[in-house]
Amino acid sequence: MRDGDSDEALAIPSDPDASWTLADWDRMWHPSMWLRRPPRPHRTHAWHVVAIVALAGYANVIANRALDDVWHIPFNLGVLAVAFAIARHAEATWTSLGMRRDRIGRGLRIGGAVAAVVAIGMAIAVAIPATRELFRDDRVIDASTGEVLFDAFVRIPIATAFYEEALFRGVLFGMFARHFAPLWAALISSALFGLWHILPTIETLESNPAGGLFVGILGAALAALGAGAGTGAVGLAGTWLRLRANRIAAPWIVHVATHSCALLAALVVGRVLV
């Protein structure tokens, strides 16, 4: 048995810390499981959940209002480490956190298949003149090629995709799923994911190519509402991928493909197809 999986690999009925068995987690993606309550709801650790949500809120404000770009990777990884420490202190298992090592292959296969579709779709959009302009981004044009490549291959995979997937589809969903039905756990964690994106949306309105469509307080409110609802829906889709693979590797690789391919597409449109 591999290290790190032994605390819940069998999830035998006498285990007081496991809300679901491993077999339950492997089929939790199926609709028949969505409204099922945990067979052994874990005792509530309300302060652990409050602490993680408060930590996420604090990190969101600091990252968007005070933190220089150079510190995003170490800061985000530090926040994530604290969130994992709190969850583990609450006796969350690695399976509930989406971090089982023996499911990483399945996560990469499932996520890779979806990511390939995303990448092909963006490549087609760039090749078509009518949709190519959607990728023209002044922020990419003004940055150096090295900066764009660093963002696409380092910052986004680590400080954005892994950070957010581990925090929302891993820690928060896993904590909620110990006490609630999977559907409710997914809705709550995805709603928090939507709220998480409101501040960065407001902060980037001026530099975003679509920012001109949202003018004034009403425009900012509509942009924030749209970002919250849209990313909340994306969070639900990511949660399903996480459950389908029983590993956050699946939504992580799709998250990377979506953001990094869009950035690389903008680079091609702004530097090559001019």
Side-chain angles (χ1 to χ4, degrees):
M1 187 174 297
R2 293 173 177 162
D3 293 339
D5 298 331
S6 59
D7 57 347
E8 78 295 314
L10 297 178
I12 56 177
S14 60
D15 181 357
D17 298 331
S19 299
W20 303 91
T21 66
L22 178 55
D24 289 333
W25 278 104
D26 277 337
R27 63 174 181 269
M28 200 175 286
W29 62 274
H30 196 275
S32 63
M33 295 288 292
W34 292 354
L35 291 175
R36 179 181 167 188
R37 288 289 305 277
R40 295 181 306 284
H42 197 283
R43 61 184 179 275
T44 303
H45 288 278
W47 81 263
H48 291 90
V49 176
V50 170
I52 294 169
V53 173
L55 174 67
Y58 161 80
N60 196 18
V61 172
I62 295 299
N64 286 285
R65 290 287 177 88
L67 200 66
D68 290 334
D69 290 346
V70 69
W71 293 107
H72 276 174
I73 292 178
F75 178 79
N76 290 359
L77 291 181
V79 169
L80 189 58
V82 174
F84 270 110
I86 295 172
R88 290 292 287 171
H89 184 267
E91 300 172 338
T93 62
W94 289 116
T95 297
S96 68
L97 299 176
M99 298 295 289
R100 282 191 67 90
R101 279 185 265 177
D102 58 356
R103 294 297 186 275
I104 190 170
R106 186 160 77 179
L108 293 176
R109 288 193 300 273
I110 292 172
V114 178
V117 174
V118 170
I120 292 171
M122 287 193 186
I124 293 173
V126 168
I128 299 174
T131 54
R132 183 179 303 158
E133 292 304 308
L134 295 173
F135 295 94
R136 196 171 297 280
D137 190 334
D138 290 339
R139 293 170 297 177
V140 174
I141 294 174
D142 294 338
S144 69
T145 301
E147 289 173 330
V148 175
L149 294 177
F150 177 83
D151 284 348
F153 293 107
V154 180
R155 185 186 62 80
I156 286 174
I158 298 173
T160 301
F162 179 70
Y163 177 47
E164 293 183 354
E165 295 306 325
L167 184 58
F168 289 94
R169 257 64 73 192
V171 174
L172 284 171
F173 175 81
M175 292 291 284
F176 289 126
R178 300 164 71 199
H179 195 73
F180 300 109
L183 179 60
W184 291 113
L187 288 172
I188 296 169
S189 58
S190 297
L192 291 172
F193 186 61
L195 292 173
W196 167 273
H197 283 83
I198 289 178
L199 182 57
T201 297
I202 294 174
E203 289 293 308
T204 59
L205 271 182
E206 291 185 1
S207 59
N208 194 299
L213 300 176
F214 302 96
V215 180
I217 297 176
L218 179 59
L222 290 174
L225 182 62
T231 52
V234 168
L236 284 174
T239 303
W240 186 86
L241 280 173
R242 174 252 203 266
L243 294 177
R244 184 64 181 87
N246 198 2
R247 192 64 157 77
I248 64 166
W252 169 74
I253 197 171
V254 174
H255 199 151
V256 172
T258 302
H259 286 69
S260 294
C261 288
L263 201 59
L264 294 173
L267 183 64
V268 171
V269 170
R271 303 280 173 82
V272 180
L273 304 177
V274 291

